[in-house]
Amino acid sequence: MLSAFSNSLKIPELRQRILFTFGLVFVCRILAMVPTPGVDAIALREFIAQIRATSGGSFLGLFDLFSGGALENCAVGALGIMPSISASIILQLLTAVFPALERLAREGDAGRQKITQYGRYLTLALCLVQGYAMAVALENPAGMGINRDIVMFPGWKFRILTVITMTTGTMLLMWLGEQITQRGIGNGISLIITISIVSRLPGAVQATINMFKPVDGMAQFNIFHLIGLLVMIFLVVAGVIAVTQAQRKIPVQYAKRVVGRKVYGGQSTYMPLRVNYSGVMPIIFAQAILMFPSKLLSMVPLDFFKQMAAAMDYGTFLYNALYALMILFFSYFWVATQFNPVQIADDLKKYGGYVPGIRPGRPTADFLDRTMTRITLAGAVFLTGIAVLPTIMAQQFHIPWIVASFFGGTSLLIIVGVMLDTMRQVESHLIMRHYDGFLKKGRLQSRK
């Protein structure tokens, strides 16, 4: 593997792509450090630190996670890349609902470019709304549980300045992500999110060290806890990699077709169906929805609703149970909206392909739907366990949230998925130049 990394720098084009990616990632980190004018960063940093320590799994904690510390600094990139991700998710869901968008998505590169343009417009609209909401929230810190003023000079001037600044920062991040995708290595948007998550790693290491320091002459954790954590992180990462890579290979046979003097088809291949087809989306949906019921019920001036709000608060048994059920539901919901077995069966029939033992057309669609339903159950159950694990570690075993978040949940799934995708792209460049990839010995092959 080390030889593969060294060989990556020997290929001029790949070296240029890697250095270009590192340069733009550095610019993204600068955007997370430059503060927005007119904000008391110290008070806001204390509030974000409190969120990380107590309810890092809430939606605001997730927002801080994706911003990579920009929210804590109230920086130019405080909105992060979340508006672009939200716009992409909304368009994907609308594509499955509106036939016009579905036809546009099937038109090839021209259609995809048009949908990408719609995504940029939607991202701009979301930035304006979220930027204004952020400015109003900063002007009213009591609603967030802060007893001191955050904005030095509140008013419309501050709101307009904040909206313009944060919108510009997010649009710049989105443009940088697109440049990384085109001229660098990996998916730019995903890499920006991953770097934002990994930027919290030094803080997690420091929190882990503090766990084993004695307090009042006695440490809460000992060497056996450390060994258990190391074994656990190894098993969890290995499990996430296995499930992320896992797929069911459906054999596909293509019949021979004679077009003029040429013969097409006749070969055997397979159709890969991913076990974790929905990725990290069910966790994001579940966290986004569960942030509302407790807040809304707490506003009702009745004791029963107050008790319900307390029962549904973050970390309670009811919250974790609803969290797990919603992840299972959204796993199937995402598959139902994004995986179209009827279209796949029609495309196979059109090009002379068929699944051995299954009649083309509707029987093939039913077979694919039944197979996808079964493997989705396994992926959804594993995803639920990984999502709930950090909450259990933080609530039951009193492990700091910044440490527990790297043992599962959104952080680990995104890091593993993006790193595997980036590694595959680097490996494809190495193999094209007759170098071994990451999974081989790493020696230079002889050119013929």
Side-chain angles (χ1 to χ4, degrees):
M1 184 179 69
L2 296 178
S3 299
F5 280 116
S6 63
N7 291 334
S8 301
L9 301 178
K10 296 178 181 178
I11 303 173
E13 181 186 355
L14 183 57
R15 181 176 64 247
Q16 183 179 1
R17 285 179 173 271
I18 293 175
L19 295 178
F20 180 81
T21 301
F22 275 111
L24 293 194
V25 166
F26 178 74
V27 175
C28 293
R29 295 308 303 158
I30 291 179
L31 293 177
M33 300 300 174
V34 179
T36 301
V39 176
D40 186 355
I42 298 177
L44 185 61
R45 189 176 293 114
E46 293 176 354
F47 174 64
I48 297 299
Q50 180 182 358
I51 291 177
R52 288 180 178 177
T54 58
S55 59
S58 63
F59 186 72
L60 191 57
L62 180 68
F63 199 90
D64 175 59
L65 171 70
F66 284 172
S67 68
L71 181 62
E72 178 182 0
N73 300 322
C74 196
V76 174
L79 295 181
I81 206 68
M82 280 288 285
S84 178
I85 299 172
S86 302
S88 176
I89 294 173
I90 292 172
L91 283 177
Q92 286 186 21
L93 296 177
L94 291 179
T95 301
V97 175
F98 292 100
L101 286 176
E102 184 178 0
R103 288 194 299 268
L104 196 62
R106 300 181 64 178
E107 288 182 359
D109 291 338
R112 283 192 292 270
Q113 289 178 4
K114 198 68 175 178
I115 292 179
T116 301
Q117 185 177 3
Y118 292 157
R120 292 169 181 165
Y121 293 148
L122 184 57
T123 301
L124 179 61
L126 291 176
C127 287
L128 295 175
V129 174
Q130 293 182 11
Y132 180 78
M134 179 75 72
V136 173
L138 292 174
E139 287 182 340
N140 300 275
M144 298 188 297
I146 306 178
N147 297 323
R148 54 188 291 186
D149 293 334
I150 295 180
V151 179
M152 301 176 183
F153 304 101
W156 277 104
K157 291 183 179 179
F158 169 77
R159 297 177 187 177
I160 295 174
L161 178 62
T162 302
V163 169
I164 294 176
T165 303
M166 292 187 176
T167 300
T168 304
T170 298
M171 299 303 291
L172 180 57
L173 282 175
M174 184 181 67
W175 181 79
L176 291 174
E178 293 176 354
Q179 295 302 309
I180 292 175
T181 303
Q182 294 176 3
R183 302 170 58 186
I185 285 292
N187 184 282
I189 301 296
S190 301
L191 273 177
I192 291 175
I193 297 174
T194 304
I195 296 301
S196 300
I197 297 173
V198 174
S199 66
R200 301 190 313 154
L201 189 58
V205 172
Q206 183 61 46
T208 304
I209 295 174
N210 295 335
M211 288 168 51
F212 298 92
K213 288 184 177 180
V215 179
D216 297 331
M218 184 175 181
Q220 184 180 2
F221 300 92
N222 53 42
I223 187 65
F224 297 103
H225 294 101
L226 177 61
I227 295 174
L229 288 176
L230 293 176
V231 172
M232 188 178 202
I233 189 65
F234 176 78
L235 294 177
V236 170
V237 171
V240 171
I241 292 175
V243 174
T244 302
Q245 297 283 78
Q247 58 187 15
R248 168 76 184 275
K249 296 181 179 180
I250 305 297
V252 177
Q253 180 73 34
Y254 284 91
K256 291 184 178 180
R257 295 181 299 140
V258 179
V259 181
R261 295 184 179 180
K262 294 184 179 181
V263 178
Y264 295 93
Q267 74 273 18
S268 298
T269 182
Y270 66 90
M271 179 191 308
L273 300 181
R274 292 174 54 194
V275 174
N276 185 20
Y277 188 85
S278 54
V280 75
M281 290 304 164
I283 299 179
I284 296 178
F285 286 160
Q287 287 177 328
I289 292 178
L290 282 179
M291 68 171 292
F292 293 107
S294 178
K295 299 294 183 182
L296 296 177
L297 290 174
S298 62
M299 296 178 183
V300 180
L302 294 175
D303 293 337
F304 174 76
F305 291 99
K306 298 286 186 183
Q307 295 174 0
M308 286 294 297
M312 295 183 64
D313 200 5
Y314 171 78
T316 61
F317 175 79
L318 182 59
Y319 178 92
N320 290 333
L322 291 175
Y323 187 36
L325 291 175
M326 293 188 72
I327 291 175
L328 289 172
F329 169 76
F330 281 115
S331 296
Y332 280 97
F333 174 79
W334 187 263
V335 171
T337 55
Q338 301 300 316
F339 183 76
N340 192 343
V342 176
Q343 178 183 338
I344 296 175
D346 291 341
D347 291 341
L348 285 176
K349 186 177 180 180
K350 183 189 302 181
Y351 294 104
Y354 63 93
V355 178
I358 307 295
R359 294 176 60 87
R362 188 67 191 181
T364 300
D366 294 338
F367 169 75
L368 293 175
D369 182 66
R370 184 169 61 253
T371 304
M372 197 66 189
T373 301
R374 291 178 178 177
I375 65 175
T376 299
L377 177 61
V381 170
F382 180 84
L383 192 65
T384 303
I386 290 296
V388 177
L389 181 61
T391 304
I392 296 176
M393 293 178 64
Q395 297 292 328
Q396 302 298 326
F397 299 99
H398 306 291
I399 296 176
W401 173 259
I402 192 173
V403 177
S405 63
F406 284 94
F407 283 81
T410 313
S411 305
L412 189 60
L413 288 168
I414 291 177
I415 291 174
V416 170
V418 174
M419 291 302 179
L420 287 175
D421 180 64
T422 306
M423 187 184 71
R424 280 192 292 265
Q425 290 197 25
V426 174
E427 188 170 16
S428 65
H429 282 275
L430 291 174
I431 293 175
M432 281 192 333
R433 273 77 176 183
H434 305 285
Y435 286 88
D436 284 346
F438 289 96
L439 302 180
K440 294 184 179 181
K441 188 175 180 180
R443 57 183 173 79
L444 180 63
Q445 295 180 350
S446 60
R447 292 185 175 88
K448 294 182 179 181

